[in-house]
Amino acid sequence: MSTATTATPVATGRKPATMAQALNRALRDSLAEDPSVHLFGEDIGTLGGVFRITDGLAKEFGDSRCTDTPLAEAGILGTAVGMAMYGMRPVVEMQFDAFAYPAFEQLVSHVAKMRNRTRGTMPLPLTIRVPYGGGIGGVEHHSDASEAYYAHTPGLHVVTPATVADAYGLLRASIASDDPVIFLEPKRLYWSKADWSADAPEEVAPIGRAVVRRSGRSATLITYGPSLTVCLEAAEAAVQEGWDLEVVDLRSLVPFDDETVTASVRRTGRAVVVHESSGFGGVGAEIAARVSERCFHHLEAPVLRVAGFDIPYPPPMLERHHLPGVDRILDAVGRLQWEEA
Amino acid sequence: MTVLDQHVWQPRTDPAPLLPDPEPYRLLGTPEAGALDAGLLTTMYGQLVRGRRYNRQATALTKQGRLAVYPSSTGQEACEVAAALALEPQDWLFPSYRDTLAAVARGVDPVEALTLLRGDWHTGYDPREHRVAPLSTPLATQLPHAVGLAHAARLKGDDVVALAMVGDGGTSEGDFHEALNFAAVWHSPVVFLVQNNGFAISVPLAKQTAAPSLAHKAVGYGMPGRLVDGNDIAAVHAVLTEAVARAREGGGPTLVEAITYRMDAHTNADDATRYREDAEVEAWREHDPIAVLERALRERDLLDDAMVRATEEDAERMAAALRERMNEDPVLDPMDLFAHVYAEPTPQLREQAAMLRAELEAEAQS
């Protein structure tokens, strides 16, 4: 069973670190431990990545372990497939969510299917790092939340950290995985800080396990990645309304942790799914369906979704209207047809 | 001297040595053919005849419903066989969907090579056993894999060359460009073999590209382009062997364009009479790869009627064995649907597997 923790671990003599630093540390530790790990991508070498996630790694491990590639996402992923076929563990960076689309054919037709089409003789241990999501004032093509495309493709694992500790733990687990993992890094949390130390082994997060970030009894907010901090804020604000909200951080979209989600919703009887990507055909629709199927007799209200609008990602000056905020979440909670209060 | 000259632009490579010859390279029927190794030529002849018979047998199997589809390489056997023969055992072959014959020539079991086309599992062989990547149906997407594998091998210090096959239509795909660019920048030990067979399903080369030749595309990436007569197996083999040796010695990638012709339709689902004239097909028949080699062998007294008959009988035995094995209905386990999606099935897949198992048990009882 998952245990309740807070989004920001309580200080235990550790130092404040950003999610970006935790990711960097996870890459460094993986490179140091396993010579078959190779980092690939545009600008990840000398520059250290546009978000500095690979800062210093080319210098420390050499440019054959942390390689600046030509600017070509299909080429980056396609060559990484060939490297994995030869027994290496490539970790590729797609730089920005929408820049990953040229690699989509490689992803769907080869990365996701190689183990299956070769009946297990050729697994692809590949990690694809995709900085994703909005809220950083990026111009178009720099803020897409594209997790539904990946989650809909069998053969891929899809994980997304929401805390500094998980950024480290989940990335380590992804690189160690014998299957391809889409590792979605919430851009707007890159500079979020927490008291954290990579030496704490209990914080290495297994893929496929959700975690309850805040315990409550009135309703469950089910969320992941960039929306977790918004949900935790909403849960604090909801106290004034007399609502005690539970917040579940999925951490992994594929595999999906039905157990943790179901247990929570059966306790609270009400659920709202929150994510910033478009609602139609989105991950929230899948979660709402699963919760309805498993918790129907425990539900006091229909499962609601709070998602981004079904629009192309808006310009920075309007994105705050698109991204689910505290008020929109509280409004949804208010629509859960309260009678018990 | 301008600022441009001093600080910005310097020519990096002399393009002249990279340019393909104006005419496709030929060996058979030329004076140099006399110096070719007799043993190699007779091996090639046997492989060509077997390959042609394999193509005919597989095509027949589609008519009997034993194969869902078969993209025949009839007319292109010289490229298929030469590609396999140019490689050392530790090298890797990256075939496209039409290159079953190259996989077989490299040693893949003839039935296992047809698994994909049979409607059985997608890849019937272990790619590592013969170092043959799965046949790639998406166009040109296997080319970056070849580059990545060769790159990885070089990083490990292994003596491995990757040979990747693609058709003329595939050269229009983005992955073709990205693969060649990566290979050239990384100086990877890769050989790209384009089989220009005239048509991408129905679209002729003239509507596919405006390049002087497909081999010319190499120059833009900074690698040599070589043009070869794809129906002259000795010429294709010589050009590929040279390119493989160059890659092995650290000389980087090469793009080889083999001019050949697809004698059959694209697949059994295609009607080639809608887009090409019979006269064109007939003209190519005179330049058939088996006939070209047979003439050269007879000129050197390396082949007589008895040997031709013996070779054909050998091919016939191979075809009979293939036919017999393909007439056995493959036994598939439906539970395998869930076995190889992930190393560990997800909870969702375990639920679905349980559902299918229950359905199968109910089916068995009824």
Side-chain angles (χ1 to χ4, degrees):
Chain A
M1 285 299 295
S2 305
T3 51
T5 65
T6 54
T8 308
V10 178
T12 53
R14 302 173 189 176
K15 293 176 191 166
T18 63
M19 183 181 276
Q21 288 168 327
L23 293 166
N24 180 271
R25 178 68 188 273
L27 295 172
R28 174 177 283 109
D29 289 353
S30 297
L31 283 164
E33 268 175 31
D34 184 350
S36 67
V37 173
H38 285 258
L39 313 190
F40 266 73
E42 167 78 4
D43 299 313
I44 69 162
T46 309
L47 183 66
V50 292
F51 293 107
R52 305 291 182 270
I53 306 301
T54 54
D55 194 23
L57 300 180
K59 202 171 178 188
E60 191 173 338
F61 295 96
D63 57 9
S64 72
R65 302 283 309 278
C66 181
T67 307
D68 274 330
T69 64
L71 204 174
E73 289 76 12
I76 290 168
L77 188 52
T79 50
V81 168
M83 293 189 72
M85 288 172 83
Y86 203 73
M88 294 199 168
R89 272 181 200 275
V91 182
V92 305
E93 177 177 302
M94 284 296 163
Q95 198 162 93
F96 281 94
D97 31 58
F99 295 0
Y101 301 149
F104 214 68
E105 186 185 16
Q106 283 292 343
L107 186 74
V108 173
S109 296
H110 293 293
V111 174
K113 293 176 180 164
M114 191 66 85
R115 173 188 286 279
N116 192 249
R117 64 207 283 246
T118 60
R119 277 197 266 191
T121 61
M122 190 151 267
L124 291 184
L126 250 172
T127 303
I128 301 160
R129 296 180 37 240
V130 188
Y132 87 120
I136 63 160
V139 295
E140 66 167 348
H141 308 303
H142 290 73
S143 298
D144 285 17
S146 34
E147 63 268 26
Y149 301 135
Y150 304 121
H152 191 63
T153 303
L156 304 176
H157 288 308
V158 184
V159 303
T160 177
T163 68
V164 173
D166 271 1
Y168 178 84
L170 284 171
L171 185 50
R172 295 279 279 150
S174 299
I175 296 170
S177 169
D178 285 333
D179 283 317
V181 179
I182 305 294
F183 190 84
L184 299 167
E185 298 173 1
K187 283 196 270 314
R188 70 172 126 138
L189 298 182
Y190 270 150
W191 304 282
S192 65
K193 281 193 175 182
D195 292 332
W196 170 79
S197 161
D199 302 329
E202 75 276 9
E203 287 175 0
V204 171
I207 293 174
R209 296 286 293 278
V211 63
V212 177
R213 296 287 181 197
R214 183 189 193 281
S215 296
R217 52 173 183 78
S218 308
T220 303
L221 300 181
I222 303 162
T223 191
Y224 54 86
S227 295
L228 175 67
T229 50
V230 189
C231 285
L232 289 170
E233 275 175 49
E236 288 310 313
V239 173
Q240 290 179 356
E241 308 284 333
W243 298 325
D244 179 22
L245 300 181
E246 183 147 307
V247 178
V248 173
D249 174 8
L250 293 175
R251 308 201 287 190
S252 164
L253 304 180
V254 181
F256 184 80
D257 184 354
D258 279 305
E259 203 183 317
T260 301
V261 170
T262 302
S264 173
V265 178
R266 286 183 179 178
R267 276 196 301 273
T268 63
R270 292 174 168 85
V272 179
V273 189
V274 182
H275 61 59
E276 69 175 64
S277 58
S278 300
F280 190 88
V283 167
E286 173 66 26
I287 297 168
R290 301 187 81 83
V291 170
S292 299
E293 285 168 4
R294 288 165 173 263
C295 307
F296 184 76
H297 295 293
H298 300 264
L299 286 172
E300 305 286 341
V303 183
L304 298 181
R305 284 174 290 162
V306 177
F309 296 131
D310 296 326
I311 56 171
Y313 197 85
M317 287 181 182
L318 293 173
E319 69 178 345
R320 70 186 177 86
H321 300 292
H322 169 71
L323 295 171
V326 169
D327 289 347
R328 202 171 286 163
I329 295 168
L330 292 178
D331 185 57
V333 174
R335 281 187 283 123
L336 290 171
Q337 304 165 40
W338 297 96
E339 281 174 14
E340 64 174 31
Chain B
M1 196 178 257
T2 67
V3 169
L4 191 68
D5 296 328
Q6 280 177 294
H7 296 291
V8 183
W9 191 80
Q10 294 290 322
R12 291 183 306 261
T13 308
D14 176 9
L18 306 178
L19 281 165
D21 294 332
E23 291 292 322
Y25 179 66
R26 291 193 176 92
L27 262 176
L28 299 176
T30 71
E32 291 93 277
L36 291 169
D37 180 79
L40 179 64
L41 288 180
T42 47
T43 299
M44 284 172 170
Y45 179 75
Q47 291 262 30
L48 280 186
V49 173
R50 282 167 73 91
R52 173 66 49 87
R53 188 65 190 90
Y54 186 93
N55 273 325
R56 270 178 44 216
Q57 185 57 60
T59 302
L61 287 165
T62 62
K63 291 172 183 153
Q64 294 157 15
R66 287 287 173 187
L67 284 178
V69 68
Y70 183 71
S72 168
S73 60
T74 295
Q76 303 178 215
E77 290 93 344
C79 299
E80 300 283 313
V81 171
L85 291 182
L87 296 176
E88 297 294 332
Q90 75 273 22
D91 297 334
W92 274 75
L93 180 76
F94 285 79
S96 85
Y97 62 92
R98 198 181 294 285
D99 302 318
T100 319
L101 208 58
V104 172
R106 186 150 168 81
V108 173
D109 180 278
V111 171
E112 290 185 351
L114 289 172
T115 308
L116 166 78
L117 305 162
R118 190 183 204 180
D120 188 346
W121 274 89
H122 303 309
T123 304
Y125 52 91
D126 179 352
R128 285 198 179 82
E129 192 185 342
H130 296 286
R131 284 152 301 280
V132 177
L135 299 172
S136 183
T137 309
L139 296 184
T141 52
Q142 76 279 19
L143 306 184
H145 304 173
V147 180
L149 184 135
H151 181 66
R154 201 164 65 127
L155 287 178
K156 279 191 173 180
D158 295 347
D159 173 31
V160 169
V161 175
L163 191 157
M165 304 172 79
V166 67
D168 42 301
T171 66
S172 299
E173 294 278 1
D175 283 71
F176 173 83
H177 159 67
E178 298 193 18
L180 267 71
N181 192 47
F182 271 68
V185 170
W186 287 347
H187 215 63
S188 299
V190 183
V191 177
F192 300 99
L193 170 60
V194 180
Q195 288 181 74
N196 175 4
N197 69 11
F199 295 89
I201 302 188
S202 69
V203 178
L205 191 72
K207 290 184 181 176
Q208 194 69 242
T209 180
S213 79
L214 296 172
H216 274 81
K217 290 178 183 253
V219 185
Y221 299 104
M223 71 175 79
R226 293 288 172 258
L227 199 56
V228 62
D229 179 346
N231 286 16
D232 177 340
I233 191 169
V236 183
H237 182 260
V239 169
L240 289 178
T241 303
E242 186 191 300
V244 166
R246 189 171 164 272
R248 203 181 301 287
E249 286 154 17
T254 305
L255 173 65
V256 177
E257 177 187 3
I259 311 292
T260 184
Y261 196 78
R262 187 188 77 216
M263 297 304 285
D264 290 343
H266 167 64
T267 67
N268 48 310
D270 169 37
D271 176 6
T273 61
R274 291 174 76 107
Y275 54 83
R276 65 186 191 188
E277 300 293 328
D278 288 347
E280 182 180 301
V281 182
E282 284 311 310
W284 274 92
R285 212 175 290 283
E286 286 178 28
H287 194 57
D288 182 275
I290 298 177
V292 169
L293 179 58
E294 191 178 325
R295 277 198 294 273
L297 286 169
R298 283 183 189 273
E299 264 172 37
R300 284 180 56 187
D301 288 329
L302 295 172
L303 191 72
D304 58 24
D305 290 347
M307 290 163 75
V308 168
R309 249 193 330 277
T311 308
E312 282 169 355
E313 281 162 13
D314 166 63
E316 202 51 50
R317 280 191 294 276
M318 179 273 303
L322 176 63
R323 201 163 51 232
E324 197 177 321
R325 290 177 64 200
M326 289 297 290
N327 278 336
E328 289 167 17
D329 288 320
V331 181
L332 277 67
D333 181 359
M335 296 314 294
D336 274 358
L337 287 172
F338 303 101
H340 308 297
V341 184
Y342 299 99
E344 290 290 324
T346 62
Q348 291 72 39
L349 284 184
R350 280 200 292 271
E351 277 176 27
Q352 292 161 28
M355 188 173 112
L356 179 61
R357 186 173 286 112
E359 284 175 9
L360 293 169
E361 280 164 6
E363 220 172 79
Q365 279 164 17
S366 66

